[in-house]
Amino acid sequence: SDVHLTGVERTFGRDEIIVSKTDLKGRIIYANEVFLSIAGYSEREILGQPHNAIRHPAMPRCVFKLLWDTIQSGSEIFAYVLNRAKNGDHYWVLAHVTPTFDGQGNIVSYHSNRRSPKRESVAKAETLYNELLAIEAAHEDRKQGMEASFKALVDKLQALGVPYDEFVFAL
């Protein structure tokens, strides 16, 4: 899809938290005021929309695969994510995504808290993400590209001997 990008970065305060909740399919069922103001959407525009409405094309798809694999298995994840505002501006977040369970232990929704990341962590995440994007771009077949970059990410973590969360916090 043709995504208009402005190249302008938006930032938000250390004490501000972007909050959203999605259903099991990733459709937004709740977005707080901070989300709406930074992403540039009204509540009416964003509710019911897929969360990837704010996906930025410079995000490697393998990171989202890791995120979804993790939360669908019932675990939480922390990840640096580059998002796109409605007008094409971008903003970096440190996302903490957790599954929400019902009384029977079934996952009923997902909850995401996003904070303003440290600049040096963003720079390191960008370097890693550019490597992963290059791997994805090197394959004609999108699925093969994602699988190759996912394998590269997993290999990198195994070489470091750390799970993704620890790797994220070491950035």
Side-chain angles (χ1 to χ4, degrees), residues 2 21 29 40 56 59 63 85 124 146:
D2 183 34
K21 293 179 190 174
I29 54 176
H56 194 287
M59 268 302 290
V63 174
K124 290 176 189 166
M146 200 212 352

Side-chain angles (χ1 to χ4, degrees), residues 22-27 29 68 71-72 99-100 106-110:
T22 71
D23 65 13
L24 298 180
K25 295 261 193 288
R27 286 183 298 254
I29 54 176
W68 277 103
I71 62 177
Q72 285 174 337
T100 305
N106 302 304
I107 299 172
V108 289
S109 61
Y110 299 107

